């Protein structure tokens, strides 16, 4: 196979144009829609001259860790896909639901070696089979909880619309994690796919909302720097758009997952990215357990284009 063309890794060629005619099919199938508040990057002329950033490095006291300003959009409609979840596909919508084996009873996040050789390896094999891929590498993972303890690796839910990686960041990730071997893998097709699943039996508190890629415009994506001690990454923060259609899977269970596309090197009209965010569900019971979830970030390589 020929190397992936450099244009696939250019942020300015992400090429998102809303297709509301086709996107309306699934939207109209949703029998239940909830009215909720969603959060977005605040529109501002400052983003024309100042790049948003988040700093995850030691800083002098008083120095801000971010310049990002968000805004809330009340009265947003979020469609419940329960019962029609098979209508959504990675290459069409940018996300796809799937069943999973039950969580292992002995899952131990503190034993990193066992976690990586056991659960992460199993999930890489799951995704490899699911997507008919040649190689899958899990390069990062995040646990989230609405009452995350302070000073732990567990994070709060991400409450502002975003996409984890830009095209430029996808290429940088491949080189960072695969080194010289990346040249071999960067032929055919590359994807960045997140596997998101609950860590409790049922999620009712702060479920995940996902946006149909076909309803997003390139103009609504603003690249933001993520600065770590060992690496400078880049994500997309997302502005609100009137065409956006947001979905969630009601009462998502621990044997269910959603695959979310962060990048795809194919530029033939299929979905390439998918905005997402947690949201405060208006019907969450007062006694609902805190949301706990796990997301794996995976590099996926194909030698054949399907």
């Amino acid at each position: 196979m020929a190397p992936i063309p450099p244009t696939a890794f250019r942020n300015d060629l992400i090429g998102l144009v809303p297709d509301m005619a086709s996107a309306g099919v699934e939207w109209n199938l949703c029998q239940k829609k909830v009215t909720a508040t969603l959060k977005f990057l605040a529109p501002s002329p400052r983003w024309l001259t100042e790049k948003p950033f988040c700093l995850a490095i030691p800083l002098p006291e008083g120095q801000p860790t971010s310049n990002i300003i968000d805004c809330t959009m009340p009265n947003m409609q979020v469609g419940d896909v329960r019962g029609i979840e098979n209508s959504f596909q990675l290459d069409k919508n940018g996300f796809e639901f799937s069943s999973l084996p039950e969580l292992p009873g002995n899952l131990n996040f503190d034993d990193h070696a066992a976690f990586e050789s056991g659960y992460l390896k199993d999930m890489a094999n799951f995704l490899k089979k699911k997507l008919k891929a040649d190689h899958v590498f899990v390069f990062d993972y995040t646990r989230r909880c609405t009452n995350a303890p302070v000073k732990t690796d567990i994070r709060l839910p991400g409450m502002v619309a975003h996409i984890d990686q830009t095209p430029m960041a996808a290429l940088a990730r491949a080189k960072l994690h695969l080194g010289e071997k990346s040249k071999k893998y960067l032929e055919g097709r590359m994807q960045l796919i997140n596997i998101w699943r609950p860590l409790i039996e049922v999620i009712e508190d702060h479920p995940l909302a996902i946006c149909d890629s076909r309803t997003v415009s390139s103009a609504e994506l603003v690249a933001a720097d993520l600065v770590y001690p060992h690496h400078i990454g880049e994500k997309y923060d997302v502005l609100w758009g009137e065409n956006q259609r947001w979905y969630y899977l009601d009462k998502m269970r621990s044997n269910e997952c959603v695959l979310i596309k962060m990048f795809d090197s194919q530029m033939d009209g299929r979905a390439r990215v998918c905005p997402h965010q947690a949201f405060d569900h208006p019907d969450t019971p007062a006694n609902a357990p805190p949301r706990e979830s796990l997301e794996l970030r995976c590099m996926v390589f194909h030698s054949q284009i399907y």
Side-chain angles (χ1 to χ4, degrees), residues 173-241:
R173 281 287 181 184
K175 293 180 177 179
L176 174 68
H177 297 288
L178 301 176
E180 285 298 315
K181 294 181 181 179
S182 63
K183 295 178 181 179
K184 178 183 73 172
Y185 292 115
L186 289 172
E187 297 183 352
R189 181 186 185 188
M190 175 187 178
Q191 298 171 293
L192 294 182
I193 305 293
N194 282 15
I195 308 174
W196 192 100
R197 78 180 300 173
L199 285 177
I200 56 176
E201 186 175 347
V202 177
I203 283 189
E204 296 179 279
D205 172 42
H206 290 87
L208 187 70
I210 317 123
C211 188
D212 189 336
S213 178
R214 298 171 298 173
T215 68
V216 181
S217 167
S218 298
E220 294 155 10
L221 305 183
V222 180
D225 282 335
L226 298 169
V227 182
Y228 304 100
H230 66 292
H231 175 66
I232 298 179
E234 191 178 57
K235 65 170 180 169
Y236 277 129
D237 287 321
V238 182
L239 301 164
W240 172 82

Side-chain angles (χ1 to χ4, degrees), residues 58-71:
L59 294 170
E61 185 176 351
Q63 182 169 333
T65 59
S66 177
N67 66 343
I68 292 174
I69 305 169
D70 60 59
C71 66

Side-chain angles (χ1 to χ4, degrees), residues 3 12 78 99 123 132 145 173 278 302:
D12 60 330
V78 186
S99 59
M123 294 306 295
K132 299 179 181 178
C145 182
R173 281 287 181 184
H302 307 257

Side-chain angles (χ1 to χ4, degrees), residues 90-111:
L90 266 178
D91 282 348
K92 180 178 65 171
N93 310 93
F95 63 93
E96 182 174 324
F97 297 93
S98 179
S99 59
L100 285 175
E102 293 289 348
L103 280 164
N106 61 346
L107 195 62
N108 183 359
F109 293 101
D110 295 326
D111 188 340

Side-chain angles (χ1 to χ4, degrees), residues 95-159:
F95 63 93
E96 182 174 324
F97 297 93
S98 179
S99 59
L100 285 175
E102 293 289 348
L103 280 164
N106 61 346
L107 195 62
N108 183 359
F109 293 101
D110 295 326
D111 188 340
H112 297 288
F115 181 68
E116 291 178 5
S117 63
Y119 182 76
L120 294 190
K121 182 178 179 181
D122 290 344
M123 294 306 295
N125 288 334
F126 155 78
L127 194 60
K128 182 179 178 181
K129 182 177 180 181
K130 178 81 175 176
L131 301 184
K132 299 179 181 178
D134 294 286
H135 305 280
V136 173
F137 301 95
V138 181
F139 65 88
D140 190 21
Y141 63 89
T142 301
R143 294 167 63 193
R144 297 188 187 272
C145 182
T146 48
N147 60 355
V150 179
K151 295 183 180 180
T152 68
D153 292 334
I154 304 174
R155 301 182 192 174
L156 293 169
M159 300 292 293

